[in-house]
Amino acid sequence: MVDNAQDERAGIVAEGGVRLDRALVALFPDLSRARLQDLIRTGQVQRDGLPALDPSGKVAAGAHIVLRVPPAAPAEPVAEALDLPIVYEDDDLIVIDKPAGLVVHPAPGHESGTLVNALIAHCGASLSGIGGVRRPGIVHRLDKDTSGLIVVAKNDTAHQGLTAQFADHGRSGPLERAYAAVVWGLPQPRAGTIQANLARSRFHREKIAVVSDASGRHAVTHYAVAEAYGEAALVRCRLETGRTHQIRVHLAHRGHPLLGDTVYGGAFRTKAARLSSEARAALTALGRQALHAELLGFSHPRTGTTLRFESPLPSDMTALVQALRAEENGAPRL
């Protein structure tokens, strides 16, 4: 039990070659593994004096760990009757077409009004508890400002089955994830694969960075240009891995950040001046990164049936694409 004062602890890893979260369970058995994973991801763990932000990262024997445990979190999320765009639902799972702006699970600054709050109200006691009280049923995530398809488990059996498929990245099953993105410039070649390891930036905790092959997590994105507009392009991406911010970071690394991405495309803001007035207005109205999860396919965790769902571009991205298309087709610049 953690009291209202921050608790700082230290320990030495006895067994090397294990995951960081498992090493912490051995050092601090009064805290659950899920709680320790949250503490790792939120920057509360240091290993040998440096931030350790990856729960799955391996640690060596003798590593010096410092753990900070903030005051106890607020009560578990409450049910909120929010409008959910449900694409599919059965006794095991629910597929949501998440609108941009909806946070997936409660976090500091977003304690209510999240997808989890709405799911608790909609699903009640059937929602899977494997993700913990703060993330019940959550198998994978979309950024707050990314729209599109997300699947949630309604019971623990479904959660385990879906998690295994996402961990396998579709190597041995029908898992598919495809996204539509509008990027600055025209990627060359027009179709290809980006392989670049990713890790949390040491300089900006909210950012993910491309790192050397010797560190970080393996990440692979396949892309193809669907339409070119001169200053921008509509690109379709298929994920072979599913790392945090993967598409945004990979495309920015290639010099083609997403339109509206203030985190990874801030240096490209001035390029908006080259767009037509209609395209500039559409980009301003978008107010987010131009990224949409348009396809999601997987094997039903109980029946084995392959399920495949598609979501059309939302209205804000459609307006941007139409304005860029009109500009490329010769509409006068104003």
Side-chain angles (χ1 to χ4, degrees), residues 100-143:
L102 179 64
V103 176
V104 170
H105 58 75
H110 298 285
E111 295 293 342
S112 63
T114 71
L115 177 61
V116 162
N117 295 109
L119 288 168
I120 292 172
H122 181 80
C123 300
S126 71
L127 202 60
S128 169
I130 289 180
V133 296
R134 310 285 287 176
R135 305 180 185 184
I138 301 301
V139 177
H140 65 123
R141 292 180 293 169
L142 295 177
D143 294 338

Side-chain angles (χ1 to χ4, degrees), residues 4-330:
N4 289 330
Q6 179 163 288
D7 177 11
E8 184 166 300
R9 314 178 185 189
I12 303 296
V13 174
E15 180 185 355
V18 299
R19 288 170 53 110
L20 176 60
D21 53 2
R22 293 188 182 278
L24 294 188
V25 168
L27 287 172
F28 313 110
D30 61 313
L31 298 173
S32 71
R33 186 178 173 194
R35 173 70 167 141
L36 289 166
Q37 288 175 337
D38 281 339
L39 292 172
I40 294 167
R41 293 189 182 100
T42 55
Q44 304 301 323
V45 176
Q46 286 192 341
R47 180 180 62 200
D48 295 330
L50 296 174
L53 299 165
D54 182 2
S56 66
K58 298 296 191 295
V59 291
H64 181 257
I65 301 295
V66 174
L67 170 70
R68 292 184 297 272
V69 183
E76 63 186 69
V78 299
E80 295 183 59
L82 307 177
D83 185 29
L84 283 180
I86 298 172
V87 175
Y88 174 85
E89 182 177 13
D90 61 25
D91 291 340
D92 298 296
L93 56 89
I94 181 170
V95 178
I96 306 294
D97 196 349
K98 187 186 87 67
L102 179 64
V103 176
V104 170
H105 58 75
H110 298 285
E111 295 293 342
S112 63
T114 71
L115 177 61
V116 162
N117 295 109
L119 288 168
I120 292 172
H122 181 80
C123 300
S126 71
L127 202 60
S128 169
I130 289 180
V133 296
R134 310 285 287 176
R135 305 180 185 184
I138 301 301
V139 177
H140 65 123
R141 292 180 293 169
L142 295 177
D143 294 338
K144 169 180 174 284
D145 290 328
T146 297
S147 55
L149 297 166
I150 183 170
V151 60
V152 176
K154 293 176 68 176
N155 55 61
D156 289 353
T157 299
H159 199 294
Q160 291 167 339
L162 289 168
T163 298
Q165 292 183 60
F166 278 85
D168 184 61
H169 304 303
R171 297 186 189 96
S172 59
L175 181 72
E176 287 184 274
R177 285 173 294 170
Y179 293 71
V182 184
V183 306
W184 288 110
L186 179 60
Q188 294 292 346
R190 289 195 173 210
T193 297
I194 304 171
Q195 296 191 55
N197 284 15
L198 302 177
R200 184 75 58 178
S201 171
R202 291 191 175 188
F203 307 103
H204 304 282
R205 271 196 56 249
E206 75 280 5
K207 297 181 71 172
I208 304 297
V210 169
V211 296
S212 68
D213 289 341
S215 61
R217 305 184 72 185
H218 179 63
V220 180
T221 303
H222 305 285
Y223 74 90
V225 174
E227 296 183 25
Y229 310 118
E231 298 293 342
L234 174 63
V235 176
R236 290 200 154 84
C237 301
R238 287 184 177 267
L239 293 182
E240 186 173 314
T241 57
R243 311 305 182 196
T244 300
H245 297 179
Q246 178 175 316
I247 291 173
R248 298 166 63 188
V249 177
H250 270 176
L251 288 171
H253 178 63
R254 283 287 186 91
H256 302 286
L258 276 59
L259 271 68
D261 193 338
T262 58
V263 176
Y264 300 106
F268 282 69
R269 290 176 188 168
T270 56
K271 290 179 70 71
R274 303 180 187 178
L275 302 175
S276 67
S277 60
E278 290 84 357
R280 289 198 303 271
L283 179 56
T284 299
L286 182 72
R288 65 179 180 102
Q289 66 262 10
L291 185 62
H292 178 67
E294 63 179 358
L295 186 150
L296 177 63
F298 54 88
S299 174
H300 192 285
R302 181 172 54 83
T303 67
T305 303
T306 297
L307 302 177
R308 194 172 188 272
F309 305 97
E310 295 186 46
S311 169
L313 286 181
S315 58
D316 56 356
M317 280 187 65
T318 297
L320 177 62
V321 166
Q322 288 176 342
L324 291 167
R325 190 181 290 151
E327 180 179 352
E328 182 65 13
N329 288 338

